[in-house]
């Protein structure tokens, strides 16, 4: 339908993305209801983005789910990361898929650096954030949220 509505789901998802990043950094868990809210945002806005775009987004989300599920089976990703990454693909316009993937790649590197900075150095202290204590684990929800915010910014600046 109208190209300006393509980013509406991403804009509506911003509060959910904040919750994803917070929960993953604080508890190293993404509650199961957050990806459900992302999917509901998609379902509520699907009539506005058109049938072809809706089908394209569902196809991409299913492909991401299959790939990420395999990565979960081999213990590269957690279940919350799989659900969240699959659900966020529903709000990514097909025309902006490459942009989102580039932002997500950059955000993964940034997430690694942020997590390294948060790790306690010589004397570990409990600052209450699970991400600062998790050795060998990356809170991917932070990277998903950063990429989602970058995507939503396109919706704010597009004509």
């Amino acid at each position: 339908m109208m190209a300006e509505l393509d980013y509406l789901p991403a804009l509506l998802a911003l509060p959910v993305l904040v919750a994803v990043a917070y929960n993953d950094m604080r508890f190293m868990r993404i509650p199961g209801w957050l990806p459900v809210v992302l999917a509901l945002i998609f379902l509520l806005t699907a009539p506005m983005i058109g049938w072809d775009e809706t089908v394209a987004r569902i196809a991409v989300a299913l492909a991401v789910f299959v790939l990420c599920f395999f990565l979960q089976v081999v213990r590269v990703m957690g279940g919350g990361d799989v659900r969240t990454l699959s659900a966020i693909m529903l709000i990514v316009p097909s025309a902006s898929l490459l942009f989102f993937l580039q932002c997500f790649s950059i955000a993964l590197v940034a997430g690694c650096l942020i997590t390294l900075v948060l790790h306690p150095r010589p004397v570990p202290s409990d600052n209450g954030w699970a991400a600062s204590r998790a050795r060998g684990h990356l809170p991917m929800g932070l990277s998903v949220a950063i990429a989602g915010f970058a995507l939503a910014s396109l919706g704010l600046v597009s004509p």
Side-chain angles (χ1 to χ4, degrees):
M1 279 195 141
M2 298 174 60
E4 52 272 358
L5 292 178
D6 284 348
Y7 294 96
L8 180 62
L11 292 167
L12 294 174
L14 291 177
V16 180
L17 295 176
V18 170
V20 165
Y22 172 79
N23 279 287
D24 211 11
M25 292 296 290
R26 181 79 176 169
F27 307 110
M28 288 297 293
R29 293 195 152 299
I30 300 173
W33 61 270
L34 289 172
V36 171
V37 173
L38 289 172
L40 287 174
I41 289 170
F42 168 72
L43 287 175
L44 291 173
T45 58
M48 294 177 239
I49 61 175
W51 177 250
D52 291 340
E53 180 66 19
T54 299
V55 170
R57 291 183 191 196
I58 291 171
V60 170
L62 285 173
V64 167
F65 178 77
V66 169
L67 174 65
C68 291
F69 182 76
F70 170 75
L71 292 174
Q72 180 189 6
V73 168
V74 296
R75 298 188 182 266
V76 173
M77 292 178 73
D81 297 329
V82 172
R83 290 186 302 270
T84 303
L85 196 53
S86 300
I88 198 171
M89 298 314 293
L90 293 170
I91 67 168
V92 176
S94 55
S96 300
L97 188 56
L98 184 58
F99 174 79
F100 177 80
L101 294 176
Q102 290 170 335
C103 289
F104 183 63
S105 299
I106 293 167
L108 279 174
V109 173
C112 288
L113 294 174
I114 291 168
T115 304
L116 284 173
V117 168
L118 290 177
H119 277 292
R121 294 294 166 228
V123 180
S125 63
D126 186 8
N127 61 8
W129 291 82
S132 69
R133 296 184 309 273
R135 298 285 183 204
H137 297 283
L138 174 67
M140 198 176 295
L142 176 64
S143 301
V144 170
I146 291 170
F149 267 79
L151 176 72
S153 70
L154 283 181
L156 294 175
V157 297
S158 67

